[in-house]
Amino acid sequence: MIFNVWKDIQNKKVQPVYLLVGEESFLMQETLRHIVQASLLEEEKDFNLSVYDMEETPVETAIEDAETLPFMGEKRVVIIKNSVFLTSEKKKEKLEHRVEKLEQYINSPAPYTIVVFVAPYEKLDERKKITKLLKKQSVVIEMKSLSDDEAIKWMLNVAQEQRVELEKAAVEQLLVLTAGDLMAIHQELQKLSTYVGEGGIISVEAVNLLVARTLEQNIFDLIEHVIYRRSKEALQIFYDLLKNNEEPIKILSLLVTQFRLILQVKELSTVGYGQQQIASTVKVHPFRVKLALQQARLFQTEELAHILMELAEADYEMKTGKKDKQLLLELFLLKLFKND
């Protein structure tokens, strides 16, 4: 859906009112960029682009601006951020919004203005009259995590814009190293495109060379080595993390987070939940769920529960200072291999 809207916008098929809903901030930024780019020339932005924050400014002020003729151009763009009046949230501030003024505008928008309502919330209050009206009269775009296929399609489009090619293996490795984070993928693709140059091919070797592994990714790899009983490789990652001054308690915390996720996705998949449903339920990115599902198949539920108990005990001993922090983690890893 979002790619179709982007395509229409890029083809100058811009609508008078948009409503962007959801918590995927990168998609929100990209959609706004497409709208502004398609509507205004660079030199027009100073005069005809306005941004209002509804936590600081009443909505009627933004609407008055939307009704004002553009200056030295054909179009005006008004971005209305944090449209809290569309939600059930109760704010401490005494700022009141005259939504009746907004209702009038939505029913008869100015032909020379593009108004974009930004609602970075999981859901809106569907009971409100203004929410119903806005959803009916605007182009609604949901800002939610992309599926694997959508993410790959988007990555290939970005590569095409940069005039480079992406190998299939490079796509998959980039998804793994970034855990599907769109902002990180975009930044890394720009870096990789500069590295290979126009007309170049981004290979998996280039991705491994230039894309830094996050602490979370190192923990994922460590667990992967544990699963396949590669003790040497697992311990090597652990010692490398310590050399990079990563705190043992932070490493322990991430181990707990990952093993808990593996247990959650295993239990949810057992009762028939799909990848997207699991991601929504446990509130993590779908790609992280996909990776956790792969690991979950290699554990028994009882084994995962036992590992989490062991980690809880290590956490207690670490925080009470009963044993050396590094030694506790080493003993935990060695115990995992001993259980083979």
Side-chain angles (χ1 to χ4, degrees):
M1 170 63 179
I2 193 167
F3 297 123
N4 294 334
V5 177
W6 284 359
K7 189 174 181 180
D8 285 343
I9 293 170
Q10 288 167 341
N11 290 331
K12 307 296 182 182
K13 296 177 183 177
V14 184
Q15 303 303 313
V17 184
Y18 289 91
L19 172 59
L20 315 186
V21 186
E23 298 176 309
E24 179 52 77
S25 59
F26 178 75
L27 290 180
M28 192 84 77
Q29 292 172 23
E30 280 295 282
T31 304
L32 289 171
R33 183 179 67 83
H34 285 306
I35 291 171
V36 172
Q37 198 170 47
S39 306
L40 302 174
L41 297 173
E42 192 62 39
E43 59 268 24
E44 295 174 340
K45 291 179 183 177
D46 287 341
F47 305 108
N48 295 321
L49 173 61
S50 304
V51 180
Y52 295 93
D53 188 338
M54 294 298 96
E55 293 181 358
E56 299 174 358
T57 308
V59 69
E60 58 269 25
T61 301
I63 295 305
E64 287 170 8
D65 192 1
E67 293 173 333
T68 305
L69 285 166
F71 181 72
M72 296 178 66
E74 296 182 3
K75 294 288 184 182
R76 176 180 292 279
V77 176
V78 176
I79 298 171
I80 299 177
K81 295 172 60 180
N82 296 321
S83 302
V84 70
F85 48 80
L86 300 173
T87 75
S88 56
E89 288 186 21
K90 303 294 182 184
K91 292 291 181 180
K92 292 181 181 178
E93 302 89 67
K94 297 298 181 182
L95 188 65
E96 291 187 10
H97 297 283
R98 290 178 54 199
V99 292
E100 65 275 7
K101 177 76 173 175
L102 173 57
E103 290 170 6
Q104 292 171 9
Y105 183 86
I106 293 169
N107 281 316
S108 183
Y112 43 77
T113 301
I114 296 94
V115 177
V116 187
F117 293 89
V118 177
Y121 315 109
E122 185 178 356
K123 59 183 178 179
L124 304 181
D125 189 343
E126 303 288 345
R127 299 166 297 178
K128 288 188 173 182
K129 179 183 175 183
I130 186 61
T131 304
K132 293 176 182 176
L133 179 63
L134 187 54
K135 290 189 77 171
K136 180 181 177 182
Q137 300 289 82
S138 68
V139 176
V140 182
I141 314 174
E142 291 188 12
M143 303 291 138
K144 58 184 181 181
S145 298
L146 301 180
S147 67
D148 291 347
D149 289 342
E150 288 171 335
I152 291 169
K153 180 181 177 182
W154 169 73
M155 290 168 69
L156 294 173
N157 284 339
V158 173
Q160 189 175 20
E161 288 176 6
Q162 298 287 334
R163 298 183 181 179
V164 297
E165 289 184 40
L166 257 176
E167 286 184 353
K168 183 179 179 182
V171 170
E172 293 173 354
Q173 184 66 351
L174 193 51
L175 279 169
V176 168
L177 293 179
T178 59
D181 183 281
L182 299 181
M183 179 71 79
I185 291 171
H186 191 260
Q187 292 172 344
E188 295 298 345
L189 277 176
Q190 289 184 318
K191 180 170 67 178
L192 288 161
S193 298
T194 302
Y195 175 74
V196 301
E198 188 173 320
I201 299 173
I202 297 175
S203 64
V204 68
E205 289 79 15
V207 171
N208 286 328
L209 177 66
L210 295 179
V211 179
R213 289 177 178 269
T214 62
L215 176 56
E216 289 80 1
Q217 180 57 39
N218 277 314
I219 294 298
F220 177 86
D221 290 343
L222 189 154
I223 293 173
E224 191 85 353
H225 289 313
V226 167
I227 291 170
Y228 291 104
R229 309 304 177 187
R230 296 189 289 255
S231 58
K232 182 180 178 182
E233 290 86 347
L235 289 170
Q236 185 61 56
I237 289 176
F238 172 62
Y239 294 133
D240 286 344
L241 290 174
L242 293 177
K243 285 179 186 175
N244 290 330
N245 297 317
E246 295 291 354
E247 283 291 328
I249 198 161
K250 189 174 181 180
I251 297 172
L252 177 68
S253 174
L254 286 170
L255 283 169
V256 171
T257 299
Q258 186 61 24
F259 274 112
R260 185 186 294 127
L261 177 62
I262 294 170
L263 178 58
Q264 286 175 320
V265 301
K266 186 173 186 66
E267 291 179 333
L268 289 170
S269 65
T270 301
V271 296
Y273 278 52
Q275 183 178 321
Q276 291 291 335
Q277 286 178 295
I278 295 173
S280 178
T281 302
V282 300
K283 298 190 183 304
V284 300
H285 195 282
F287 194 76
R288 280 192 63 200
V289 171
K290 179 182 178 180
L291 297 177
L293 279 168
Q294 293 171 3
Q295 294 184 331
R297 295 187 187 102
L298 299 164
F299 284 102
Q300 297 296 323
T301 301
E302 297 76 14
E303 186 181 4
L304 288 167
H306 179 72
I307 288 171
L308 284 168
M309 287 180 61
E310 294 276 356
L311 285 167
E313 180 64 24
D315 180 68
Y316 172 76
E317 293 187 337
M318 198 176 283
K319 288 176 179 174
T320 53
K322 289 190 174 183
K323 288 182 183 176
D324 178 76
K325 294 176 182 179
Q326 179 177 333
L327 178 61
L328 277 167
L329 278 176
E330 284 177 309
L331 289 173
F332 168 75
L333 292 173
L334 291 170
K335 193 179 291 185
L336 285 181
F337 294 121
K338 190 177 179 181
N339 291 336
D340 186 13

